[in-house]
Amino acid sequence: MQRVKCRRLLNSELDVFAVFKKKETITTESGGGFFKRLRRRLNSGNSWLTYDLANLAPGGRIDDEVLDDLESRLVMADVGVDSTERIISALHKQLARRELKDVAALHSGLRQIMLAMLEPVERNLQPVSEGGPFVILMIGVNGAGKTTTIGKLARRFMNDGHSVMLAAGDTFRAAAVEQLQAWGERNGVPVVAQQQGADPAAVIFDAYESARARGIDILLADTAGRLQNQQGLMDELAKIKRVVSRQNPAAPQEVMLVLDAGLGQNALQQAEKFNAALGVTGITVTKLDGTAKGGVLLALADKLGLPVRFIGIGEAADDLQPFRASEYVDALLGTDSDD
Amino acid sequence: MFDNLSDRLTRATKNLTGRGRLSEANIKDTLRQVRLALLEADVALPVVKSFVERIRERAIGEEVGKSLTPGQALVKIIHGELVSLLGSATVDLDLRAQPPVVIMLVGLQGAGKTTTAAKLALRLIKKESRRVMMVSVDVHRPAAILQLETLAREVGALYCSSNASEAPTTIVAHALDESRRSHADVLIVDTAGRLHVDEDMMDEVQAVHSAATPHETLFVIDSMAGQDAVNSARAFGERLPLTGIVLTKADGDAKGGVALSAREVTGKPIRFLGVGEKIDALEVFHPDRMASRILGMGDVLSLVEEIEEKVDKAQADKLAKKISKGRGFDLSDLKDQLEQMMNMGGMAAMLEKLPLPGKINAAALKSKTDEKQLQRQIAIINSMTAGERRFPKTINGSRKRRIAGGCGMQIQDVNRLLKQHLQMEKMMKKMARGGMKKMLRGMSPGGMPPGLG
């Protein structure tokens, strides 16, 4: 910790402009920037929830038909049949109590329900390195975006003043090691790698040793993508975790599941099975910049309640941001955050 | 992959079997189940709606009245619609053009384009003995070009090297040249993953397409994709003249409803399924088989064929005669039956072909009724004397001990077999009295698959 603080001080003293720059990015983060982009992107599809809630209820009156329509929209956002039913039945109750007089009431009712589902999972990652590096093990199915997320996370942690190292644990896919090395070069971060086909547990073990020796704060460990129903490969992950925790019982401090926002209900199975196999401690959702709404987040929060750490809405490094339930819900609902 | 969907659909239509008549009300309930089943399976909502609507229209017509049972009729209609949705015939890659025939792969990030390119190349090399060249125009993702190069080497394809600093269209022109020079039959162009809302990237892929003039443009899509898959499929379909779809990661446990959505939206046939990590894990897509599997109708027809083929007609006749006379079904008859079951590949193979109701876990059944068990039962009967086989009642404790010793089993196993025989004998007697139909009716509802009931 001490070391981190020192570096931060040093940085800010050395580069006055960096302070300004940083401030700027901070304001855009918490203010309009990221939120607006998130909102724009979530609403870029041709039909979304309240793309106009008013359109849903032309007369302004809320009735069963409006709720049915809303139900379809939720399903189309991959919220899933079960969770959609829960949301809609809660709204039906409110309707019966005559609490949904107009569109605004429906809007705030829906917002409350979604927030209640998502706020418990808004638990951001606070990496603290004690007695060795903070190890983040990245897992997920093929093509979820693990390696790209590692690249963005490395940039992010460095900006926060941490020292970072990458471990090329994907020794299966052709050129995965080189892809991670390219990210390392781009960010000026050391990458520990062996040849393709090496034992991933051994690679990550080596990386841990090296990170500890060099006093690195955060070790980001890549793994090969695997489908959750392939038991042999899931066992391999469990082995990686075992080997790392032999070095430090607390490590890996974070087992991060990377999910593609375009996924359907299979995301639930993924989260369940990866969680059963090695205890997922956080979720990062990637590729929210398409027209996919990532509504499966609601289903995930509803059923599993695993913390959601980051969401990614674009190619740029700062398009990966900590998850904020209210931002996400407002973006979905098209609420203006400025009021 | 589609197992969950078929489970749901089986349950949905099961509610209908056993009902006397198909009323507007109970078809509505079943259609709701069908709708939920499809949504759970990530079939896109608009596709679900039009699908269910078509079924409703066809069901509330004459077709139901003509058929045997309402449930069967509905299953038949759904099956028909599924086949017409998925396409009734397998569509092969069309390589009849002047070489080099260009195949281009497009899709979202992480769909599995590069892996599919390699699998496709291997297939063309191995199965059709083509000379295949591969080229990557993915100048965006780090090390993507290297990935394709490594895979090309692995599958034994020619490789046209490219550089991330070049423009994709330049790479394509170069690759076309190169493939002509080295007399390649096929050139596979792997493109960068892109979002369908990214205008610049979509322009780029269009430019690559017009430079490459591919004979086949395949849209690669992840079978785990959700509702949004229709939007991306539609956007790609509008920008590019797609000729087919490749569904990847189909070996996962996703319900794969995206197959229906993508097919419906683009109107293009699904050509291949990616079914594993290995480089040869690419399967040709058979729409008719898939429709049957989705419905959980199993392969009843081929099972019937198989039984007819393998069951010894003469033996069956002998048994039928015996039964119709109401005479005993003895242990040697049981042995004949067990042997015939062995012939058909055991219970497991049969169970797989039968559309069992959702709750029965085929895997659990499999473990209980494996071939070893059949073998053991036959061994027990083999250790009996002819007299014992004809008159099982004579088997007392001392005989049981001898039989168990003879076949190396426990006395309990002998007892179990005798009990099993006793039950079957009872059933046979009943059958002789009331005929086959009565017995079937006596079975629990849903005990018979819709195709046979």
Side-chain angles (χ1 to χ4, degrees), chain A residues 142-157:
Chain A
N142 317 57
K146 286 175 295 301
T147 310
T148 308
T149 303
I150 286 181
K152 292 180 185 173
L153 278 179
R155 170 74 58 82
R156 185 172 185 85
F157 289 137

Side-chain angles (χ1 to χ4, degrees), chain A residues 13-182:
Chain A
E13 267 168 30
L14 279 176
D15 190 350
V16 185
F17 287 103
V19 181
F20 283 116
K21 270 184 217 152
K22 191 126 194 209
K23 236 182 199 157
E24 225 172 69
T25 54
I26 286 168
T27 45
T28 48
E29 269 173 38
S30 53
F34 181 73
F35 173 74
K36 278 211 175 110
R37 279 206 307 272
L38 175 64
R39 194 186 141 188
R40 204 169 49 241
R41 281 175 184 159
L42 283 181
N43 283 304
S44 58
N46 39 12
S47 68
W48 174 228
L49 266 188
T50 52
Y51 129 84
D52 225 341
L53 261 183
N55 280 356
L56 271 179
R61 241 176 56 84
I62 309 298
D63 50 22
D64 286 350
E65 211 170 299
V66 175
L67 291 187
D68 281 355
D69 209 356
L70 188 62
E71 185 177 23
S72 312
R73 280 162 193 260
L74 286 169
V75 168
M76 277 167 77
D78 291 317
V79 175
V81 174
D82 287 351
S83 300
T84 300
E85 265 172 14
R86 280 194 43 186
I87 295 173
I88 293 297
S89 73
L91 285 173
H92 268 296
K93 271 182 205 149
Q94 293 188 7
L95 188 65
R97 289 199 295 267
R98 294 171 196 282
E99 286 169 3
L100 302 179
K101 282 194 206 80
D102 51 14
V103 176
L106 174 64
H107 197 278
S108 74
L110 187 57
R111 185 170 186 275
Q112 288 305 323
I113 294 167
M114 286 179 150
L115 272 182
M117 287 167 97
L118 287 175
E119 259 169 356
V121 298
E122 179 192 315
R123 274 174 277 161
N124 290 322
L125 188 63
Q126 307 289 346
V128 182
S129 43
E130 262 170 18
F134 187 91
V135 182
I136 303 180
L137 187 64
M138 306 292 285
I139 57 173
V141 298
N142 317 57
K146 286 175 295 301
T147 310
T148 308
T149 303
I150 286 181
K152 292 180 185 173
L153 278 179
R155 170 74 58 82
R156 185 172 185 85
F157 289 137
M158 282 169 70
N159 285 347
D160 289 348
H162 297 290
S163 54
V164 179
M165 182 183 270
L166 311 182
D170 183 352
T171 54
F172 179 78
R173 181 165 62 87
V177 172
E178 285 81 0
Q179 188 184 350
L180 196 74
Q181 276 166 340

Side-chain angles (χ1 to χ4, degrees), chain B residues 241-266:
Chain B
L242 301 177
T243 58
I245 297 166
V246 180
L247 205 60
T248 61
K249 305 175 208 172
D251 52 328
D253 51 10
K255 300 171 195 179
V258 62
L260 299 183
S261 310
R263 174 80 174 87
E264 170 87 348
V265 166
T266 61

Side-chain angles (χ1 to χ4, degrees), chain B residues 172-361:
Chain B
V172 167
H174 176 63
L176 282 171
D177 261 7
E178 193 71 23
S179 53
R180 264 180 224 119
R181 199 170 307 136
S182 48
H183 305 289
D185 302 318
V186 179
L187 173 68
I188 298 179
V189 181
D190 180 31
T191 64
R194 66 202 72 223
L195 283 167
H196 53 286
V197 288
D198 189 333
E199 286 301 320
D200 296 344
M201 290 295 281
M202 291 305 279
D203 288 345
E204 184 207 273
V205 79
Q206 257 182 324
V208 170
H209 184 273
S210 48
T213 56
H215 202 59
E216 292 273 4
T217 309
L218 301 176
F219 180 58
V220 181
I221 190 160
D222 187 334
S223 61
M224 296 182 284
Q227 295 281 329
D228 194 50
V230 275
N231 294 331
S232 53
R234 186 180 297 126
F236 273 94
E238 279 164 4
R239 286 295 196 110
L240 300 167
L242 301 177
T243 58
I245 297 166
V246 180
L247 205 60
T248 61
K249 305 175 208 172
D251 52 328
D253 51 10
K255 300 171 195 179
V258 62
L260 299 183
S261 310
R263 174 80 174 87
E264 170 87 348
V265 166
T266 61
K268 300 295 180 251
I270 298 168
R271 297 287 183 71
F272 297 103
L273 296 176
V275 290
E277 304 255 350
K278 295 217 179 69
I279 206 73
D280 58 353
L282 189 74
E283 274 180 11
V284 172
F285 182 76
H286 294 280
D288 43 347
R289 280 189 211 169
M290 193 52 74
S292 294
R293 257 184 70 191
I294 289 177
L295 262 185
M297 299 216 307
D299 225 346
V300 176
L301 274 184
S302 60
L303 181 65
V304 171
E305 277 165 21
E306 200 173 335
I307 290 176
E308 276 175 357
E309 251 172 49
K310 291 194 180 156
V311 170
D312 188 336
K313 259 273 161 62
Q315 266 187 21
D317 285 349
K318 207 176 92 193
L319 183 65
K321 212 177 266 173
K322 242 181 174 178
I323 290 167
S324 65
K325 277 184 190 158
R327 272 236 312 272
F329 167 78
D330 63 23
L331 281 167
S332 44
D333 295 328
L334 179 62
K335 189 185 150 198
D336 286 347
Q337 285 223 318
L338 291 173
E339 273 166 357
Q340 286 188 354
M341 266 160 81
M342 287 274 292
N343 263 339
M344 272 183 284
M347 286 296 277
M350 277 177 68
L351 283 173
E352 242 156 49
K353 295 195 177 98
L354 280 174
L356 293 164
K359 274 173 212 152
I360 294 178
N361 186 348

